[in-house]
Amino acid sequence: MEINKDATSKGLTTQDKNWELMSVLGMKWSETTNLTEEDREFLLTKVEIVKNHIKRQGQPSELLK
């Protein structure tokens, strides 16, 4: 899974979603498999916030241009 994909995309499998949670949030695989669908979706929205923050850190600030 690449960082540019959206963790909340409809086409992702449960395994893809669990991988996002594990790789971005540092959860254990066993923790991701025990989540309710509601909790998984909530955490995936947090994954997107983290990924967007990471992407922004790699871009030059508009103020520095």
Side-chain angles (χ1 to χ4, degrees), residues 24-40:
V24 177
L25 299 182
M27 294 179 72
K28 295 180 181 178
W29 187 262
S30 59
E31 294 172 331
T32 67
T33 59
N34 290 326
L35 292 169
T36 64
E37 209 45 45
E38 180 182 11
D39 286 344
R40 182 176 289 106

Side-chain angles (χ1 to χ4, degrees), residues 5-12 17 41 44-46 48:
K5 288 195 176 182
D6 190 337
T8 57
S9 295
K10 298 278 188 222
L12 294 180
K17 292 176 181 181
E41 295 305 317
L44 287 168
T45 61
K46 301 305 181 187
E48 281 307 305

Side-chain angles (χ1 to χ4, degrees), residues 1 3 11 36 47 51 55-56 61 63:
M1 174 93 20
I3 194 167
T36 64
V47 163
K51 286 174 27 176
K55 288 177 192 175
R56 281 194 309 274
S61 170
L63 297 174

Side-chain angles (χ1 to χ4, degrees), residues 1-4 17 19 21 34 48 50 52 64:
M1 174 93 20
E2 59 192 60
I3 194 167
N4 294 326
K17 292 176 181 181
W19 179 257
L21 295 170
N34 290 326
E48 281 307 305
V50 170
N52 286 327
L64 298 176

